[in-house]
Each structure stands twice: as structure tokens, then as C-alpha cells.
Amino acid sequence: MDSIVSTTEPPKLWRVPSVLAGFRLIPPIDRFPAVVSAVQTPWGKVALLAVFGLELSLLQHDSFFAAAMVLFLGLVTLMPEYRRFVLALSPIAIAIWSNLRIPLQLGMTLAVIALGVVLYLLAMQQPKSHFGRRPVLYLLSGFSLLIAAACWTQPRTIAYQWLWAFVGALASYVWFIAYALTDRTSKPSGDLTLELTAFRPLWGSTNTPFPKGAAYLRRIEARTSEQLAIAQLKGIKLLTWAAVLSLFAAGWNWFFHAYLQIPTSSQALAQSVQGAPVAWHLRWVSLVLAFFESILSISVMGHQFIAICRVAGFNALRNTYKPLSSTTLSEFFNRYYYYFKELLVDFFFYPAFLRYFKGRRKVRLVFATFAAAFVGNTVFHFTRDWQIIRDKGLISAMVSYEASLLYCFVLAIGLSVSELRKRKPQPVSFVHGRLIPAIGVGLFYCLLNVFVIEERRYALIDHLRFFASLFFVHI
């Protein structure tokens, strides 16, 4: 589970025709010495930024956003000695600009950033204190208590508004602060520039940090002009690939959902709950389509984040890397959403693995896998959706999470089995060596996704009925 996604091609189990062997849809411009040299010149840097900004504006359909990104990226490209300073201040500037018309949200966002800095300094200066030894545990426990306290306040009161505003701001930053607290032991920089850079970085992120923490940024930061040029060219390539996938996804949605009128998996579930289920074969097709659509969606999103990160001077790994080539459940989990997997490993898997059942290897591995895939997964998503807790109340929100809880439990079982299975020698043939295992992995995740509908409008029994109906079982 804690393996790193390989950036090399998987072994070829069949021969590729010589004509196609060297074909690349997007040329490897980062390997062309002439191109690498050209983008190290002033005019080459300007041209690279112009191309990147044009691609970003077309992909985002937002010229202002693209212009702002090019402005900040231009500063770190033309003045790399000020990279950390610019990247530390730019997220704060963006947060102020975005929330300028919402004073309460702006105040809480700045308060959370200040809290993160204070906690980081406290953990670094007092490493032997109880808080210094377990800072992440204190952070997550305090966040949970804050949510519980907000649930006890009465609506339409000042305390209610302030507490939930603070919960919302902290929910966006909590895992970034958690990474900063773990970075306290990894030769922290003299100033706080990279720590602030990693707090909701310029290149964007979900609640999952892309990439993970300032310690990781230090390892992948470009140190020379050539390294910066190569990282930026890789960013151009990745953003181009994101644009290609975005166009493909648009055509995919039009063809399957507009032209062929195939319902989405959410629509198929809704019609099943309403007592008017779609045809059996359409239920299966909607799940298979949803599986591929989720890969397309997360690829486009993650590629944009990492592309901007690379142009900023950090040669980060992709978030999604060839998930369809996965032959085990663990490999798919690693390749599909790499940085979320890393979050679960860093904050839940390793602490459990290094602390408990040291004399029993298999029990230790299963326990740590459940700590990550079940407990960590549950904690992350339940606290991420704090609006549901606010609107429904704590107990009702927990009840609405029962389908997702089953999802996390089954996923933990699947990953545990995948980790424990002894790998046999891989068959030589492509069909038995890669195709059949990959289909099995895809089928597992297709069926599991029945229980991961984001709306949380339906009870667990509704999800179970829909799942059973796929196999002609009525409950």
C-alpha cells in the first residue's frame, strides 16, 4: 500500500510494431536538449509561460485565472531566487482577494493560517512535549471537538455563525497543517516560506494536499536552471494531456449520456429508489461508464494541479498514473489517487503499522490497512463534508454516512487481501498476465462505487437493493 507509483513503463508482454514503438501523442519535449536549452533563455521563458497560460485559459475557460497564474509563475521563473517568497505570499493574497466580500470567511481563513503557523512553531520548539510527540493527534482531536461544539450551538446566533465559519475554514486546511506538523523533524527551513507555500498552494488542491507537504517540496524543488526548464516542460506536457483528456471526456459524455441517453450511475440509483428502475443492462452500463468517467475526471483535475506545480519549479509525481494497467486492488488504489493514498499512509497506516502487533506480520499489515482505508478514509470524508453535519445534525449526518461506511469497510477488506496474497509468477501472455487481472480490478471498483454516491440522499438499504438488482436478486 505504501509503494511509490513508478514513473517507468510497465514491462511489455507483447511486441509493439516498430512503426509505433516510438510514437507519442505528446512529444517528450523535456528530453530534447535544444528545447531544454531554449527555455532557459529569457525569451524562451516568456514563450513557455505564454503557451502555458493559453492552454490554462482554454482548459479553465477563465482568462483572469490564467493571467493571475502566469503572473505568479512568471515571477518565480524570471526570478527563481525569490521563488519561495512569492509562493508563500501568493496563496494568502489569493485567499484575501477571493474572500474580500465575505469578511467573516476572510477573517476565519487568516485565523486558520495563523493557527497552523503557531502549531508548527510550537511542535518544532517543544519536540519532547506531549503535543510535540503527537501533534497530528492533537490537531485531529481538536478539530473533532470543534465540530461537536458547533453542533451544540443554536442556529441564527453569533456563536453558530462564527463556529461553523471556523469549521469550514479549518476543514480546508486541516490536512495541510497536519503535513506541516509532520515536517517539523525533516530539517525545516530557517523561514516559513515553504510551510506557507504548502498551506493551500498556489497551484490549487482539493482537501487532499497536492503534493504532500513542505518536506516533499524541498526534495523535488528545481535547484538549477536546467532542472527548472525540464520541470516546466513536463508541466506543459501534463497540461496538454489534461486538455486532451478534457476534450475526450466532453465527447464521451455527449455520446453516451446525451446521444445514447444512457443514465449516469446516480440517475440509475435514483430511479431505482423511486420504483422505476432502468433496464438491467443499462444499470450495468451506467456503472461501467461511471468507473471510466471517474478516472477521466480525477486525471484532468490532478494533472492541472501538478502541471502548475511543475511550472512553479517542483517536479512532482502525477496524482493519477495509468490506473487501468493495475493488476491488483492495491496497485489501482495507488495509481488512481496517489496523493490521497499517501495521506492515508502517512497519517494512519504508518502510525498503526509501527506501533501495534510488531510480532505478528500479517495481523500488523491488516490492522494498519484497516486503520488507513477504513478509519482514515472515514475520518477524512466525514469531516470534509462538514456542511452535511451542520445542516442535518451530527447524528443524522452519521446515519447518512452508512453507505460510505460500508464502502470503506469493503475497500479495507479488499486491500488487505490484495496485500496478503502471495504473488505468483506473472504469466507470459498479455491476456492472462495483464488483461484478465485488470478487468477483475476494474469490476471490483465498479461494483464498490454503488456505495459511494456523493449526495448521501438515500439509505443503505436503497444502495443494497440497487446492488442486488444487478444480479437479479430482489430485497
Side-chain angles (χ1 to χ4, degrees), residues 176-468:
F176 298 85
I177 296 174
Y179 267 121
L181 294 178
T182 60
D183 290 345
R184 71 198 187 282
T185 59
S186 57
K187 295 182 181 180
S189 57
D191 53 32
L192 290 171
T193 51
L194 271 186
E195 299 300 337
L196 288 174
T197 296
F199 282 9
R200 304 298 294 187
L202 169 69
W203 43 83
S205 184
T206 62
N207 284 30
T208 300
F210 281 69
K212 51 172 196 170
Y216 180 66
L217 291 179
R218 291 188 192 98
R219 294 199 301 270
I220 62 174
E221 185 177 10
R223 305 293 181 185
T224 66
S225 178
E226 182 181 8
Q227 290 177 354
L228 176 61
I230 292 173
Q232 290 183 322
L233 289 170
K234 286 184 176 181
I236 288 279
K237 284 172 51 182
L238 194 57
L239 191 66
T240 304
W241 183 231
V244 171
L245 292 179
S246 181
L247 289 173
F248 180 77
W252 172 290
N253 287 327
W254 174 84
F255 180 73
F256 287 110
H257 300 303
Y259 181 71
L260 294 182
Q261 296 291 311
I262 297 174
T264 64
S265 59
S266 296
Q267 291 169 341
L269 174 62
Q271 291 187 238
S272 174
V273 173
Q274 293 166 7
V278 298
W280 175 81
H281 69 282
L282 288 180
R283 279 171 257 162
W284 273 102
V285 172
S286 69
L287 284 177
V288 173
L289 292 180
F291 172 71
F292 289 104
E293 287 159 10
S294 68
I295 293 176
L296 283 172
S297 176
I298 200 169
S299 296
V300 172
M301 175 196 69
H303 288 355
Q304 291 181 71
F305 294 151
I306 299 302
I308 300 174
C309 178
R310 288 177 175 180
V311 175
F314 301 93
N315 193 17
L317 290 173
R318 296 184 189 186
N319 180 58
T320 304
Y321 183 76
K322 298 183 178 180
L324 294 177
S325 68
S326 305
T327 56
T328 66
L329 301 182
S330 295
E331 186 182 4
F332 181 89
F333 193 64
N334 192 44
R335 289 176 175 271
Y336 173 73
Y337 201 160
Y338 174 68
Y339 289 111
F340 179 61
K341 186 274 303 185
E342 285 290 282
L343 183 150
L344 295 182
V345 166
D346 290 336
F347 296 122
F348 297 94
F349 181 87
Y350 280 143
F353 187 80
L354 298 175
R355 191 176 179 88
Y356 302 103
F357 303 107
K358 294 182 180 180
R360 306 178 66 181
R361 189 188 67 83
K362 290 185 178 181
V363 175
R364 185 186 191 188
L365 182 61
V366 171
F367 180 78
T369 301
F370 264 81
F374 180 63
V375 177
N377 211 349
T378 300
V379 169
F380 178 91
H381 288 96
F382 188 71
T383 55
R384 181 200 66 178
D385 300 332
W386 59 272
Q387 298 96 330
I388 296 177
I389 304 175
R390 179 195 62 193
D391 298 339
K392 291 188 174 183
L394 185 59
I395 302 301
S396 297
M398 293 173 67
V399 171
S400 72
Y401 198 76
E402 55 188 0
S404 296
L405 205 63
L406 178 61
Y407 168 90
C408 295
F409 183 75
V410 175
L411 176 63
I413 293 176
L415 292 175
S416 297
V417 172
S418 179
E419 289 290 321
L420 290 174
R421 269 176 44 185
K422 293 181 179 179
R423 295 192 178 186
K424 300 177 181 179
Q426 195 176 56
V428 177
S429 69
F430 167 72
V431 172
H432 292 91
R434 301 201 70 84
L435 182 60
I436 293 177
I439 291 174
V441 169
L443 181 61
F444 173 84
Y445 281 99
C446 276
L447 293 174
L448 191 59
N449 282 343
V450 171
F451 303 96
V452 76
I453 304 299
E454 293 291 334
E455 293 86 352
R456 295 195 199 165
R457 289 182 296 175
Y458 310 116
L460 174 60
I461 188 62
D462 295 322
H463 292 266
L464 291 172
R465 283 173 180 152
F466 182 78
F467 180 86

Side-chain angles (χ1 to χ4, degrees), residues 38-79:
V39 298
Q40 294 179 59
T41 65
W43 285 111
K45 294 177 180 179
V46 171
L48 181 142
L49 290 169
V51 172
F52 190 82
L54 179 62
E55 286 191 343
L56 193 61
S57 65
L58 294 175
L59 194 57
Q60 289 281 339
H61 306 290
D62 188 343
S63 299
F64 178 79
F65 171 80
M69 285 296 107
V70 170
L71 173 62
F72 288 119
L73 294 173
L75 292 174
V76 302
T77 300
L78 300 174
M79 297 184 295

